Each structure stands twice: as structure tokens, then as C-alpha cells.
Amino acid sequence: EQTKKTPLSNYLFHTTCSKPTMSTLPQAAAAASTATATPPPPQSSNNPYLEFQAGVTAALRSWSALKTAVEQSWGGTHSQSKAEDLRANIFQFFDGSSPTPRMNVDELEDNFMDYMEEEFGVVLEDGSERQLADLIWRMNEGCGRGDVTLAREVVALALKAEMDLKGVSGVIQSGDGDMDESDDDDEGSD
């Protein structure tokens, strides 16, 4: 019998759970979506470190560079496990046992760049590794103080993005193929 997962538990993967899927949409598609459904807010936890873990997982699942690398198997047949290893490595350095992680934000950024290049053959040039490192660093600082607001916001945004994508893909799949009508009207009007 399978238990129903809460939104927060969707972003907390324990060793007894299956590996996460990297199935979130690129941020641009989320902004362009016309879906109106709002996901339920993440279930709260009394443990700030669990909230931090959920935020990190949501951020990684939403990171377009990693998402694309996994979906396209740029890391080979083990792309999914490489993404999971990246998440696990972050948790080793940000383990909640100390207010000061064993890695600073610049080292985290460098590690993202190195990991993506070594494991997936991706050279990051968009600055996303800096944004992700900064986000994880800020979530760690907040959760370390007991303030889980940012981590919860990251999870909520990731959940909304996933729901928006489902709405967009439903529209695309049920479309009649006439989405490009305006091009016909513009021809010959010059």
C-alpha cells in the first residue's frame, strides 16, 4: 500500500525512497504558463534542517542546467544518480551540525561548475551556478537561525512551476495544431 506524499515530502528523499526525478520546467516556461491552479503550500516541519534539505532539492530540480543534463542523459546512463550524488554531496557540507558549513559560497559555486563539467560535460556560462550557490547559502543561513521562510518559498515555487508545466503540456497535447495561425495572416502584407 502506497502512502500519499505531502508536497514537502516530495522534496525530501530518504534512502528508503526512490531517487527523485528531475522533472521541473525551465523558469521561462513557468513564467509563460497560463495554468491557474495553485499548489498547496508545503507542509511545515519542526526541523529547520529538513526544510533546508527540501529547499535544496527543490532548487536542484528547478536548475535548468542540471535538469536538461539529466533529461538528455549527458552524464550517460547514470545521469539521474549523478544528480542525486550532487544533492547528497551538498548535504555532506551543509549537514546542519554547525552554523558554519564546511564550504563557503564561492567554493560551492566552483564545485557546481566543476561537477557539471566533469559529470555531464556542461560548461556553465549563464551564471546560474552563482545564483544556485547563493540561494543554497541563504537557505542554510536562514534555516540555521530557525527561519525556514526562504526554503519554503523555494519549495512552493518549484511545486507551482511543476503544476504550471503540467497545465502547459496539457494545452500543447490537446491543441489542434493551428497554434501558428498568425504567420499566415502576415504573409504578403509587406
Side-chain angles (χ1 to χ4, degrees):
E1 184 177 358
Q2 191 171 3
T3 60
K4 182 179 177 188
K5 290 184 177 182
T6 62
L8 179 61
S9 68
N10 288 337
Y11 287 91
L12 290 175
F13 301 98
H14 304 285
T15 56
T16 59
C17 296
S18 61
K19 292 193 187 298
T21 60
M22 303 300 283
S23 59
T24 60
L25 63 122
Q27 293 155 346
S33 171
T34 58
T36 58
T38 303
Q43 181 178 345
S44 66
S45 167
N46 292 330
N47 184 334
Y49 184 65
L50 291 179
E51 299 275 356
F52 170 74
Q53 288 181 318
V56 168
T57 302
L60 289 173
R61 288 178 62 170
S62 299
W63 187 23
S64 61
L66 181 61
K67 178 184 174 300
T68 302
V70 170
E71 287 176 348
Q72 299 300 316
S73 297
W74 292 344
T77 58
H78 300 291
S79 291
Q80 180 63 49
S81 62
K82 289 178 180 183
E84 177 62 24
D85 289 345
L86 176 60
R87 189 179 71 92
N89 289 335
I90 293 169
F91 295 155
Q92 286 180 355
F93 288 96
F94 295 83
D95 64 3
S97 66
S98 168
T100 306
R102 295 180 289 173
M103 179 182 296
N104 68 40
V105 70
D106 294 324
E107 292 169 327
L108 182 58
E109 175 187 350
D110 290 342
N111 276 294
F112 284 145
M113 287 180 62
D114 292 344
Y115 195 87
M116 291 300 292
E117 186 169 355
E118 290 173 12
E119 298 298 330
F120 296 102
V122 174
V123 177
L124 299 169
E125 297 177 349
D126 63 354
S128 63
E129 73 282 355
R130 179 63 175 175
Q131 294 169 347
L132 183 62
D134 182 62
L135 177 61
I136 290 172
W137 190 263
R138 288 184 295 128
M139 282 192 294
N140 181 68
E141 286 179 329
C143 290
R145 293 188 311 271
D147 179 3
V148 298
T149 305
L150 180 58
R152 288 183 181 171
E153 287 174 4
V154 170
V155 171
L157 287 171
L159 287 169
K160 182 179 181 332
E162 287 179 1
M163 291 187 77
D164 288 351
L165 179 61
K166 288 178 184 174
V168 168
S169 66
V171 169
I172 292 170
Q173 291 173 357
S174 64
D176 59 6
D178 293 333
M179 294 176 65
D180 202 31
E181 293 176 24
S182 62
D183 288 312
D184 295 336
D185 297 337
D186 292 339
E187 287 183 28
S189 62
D190 290 328

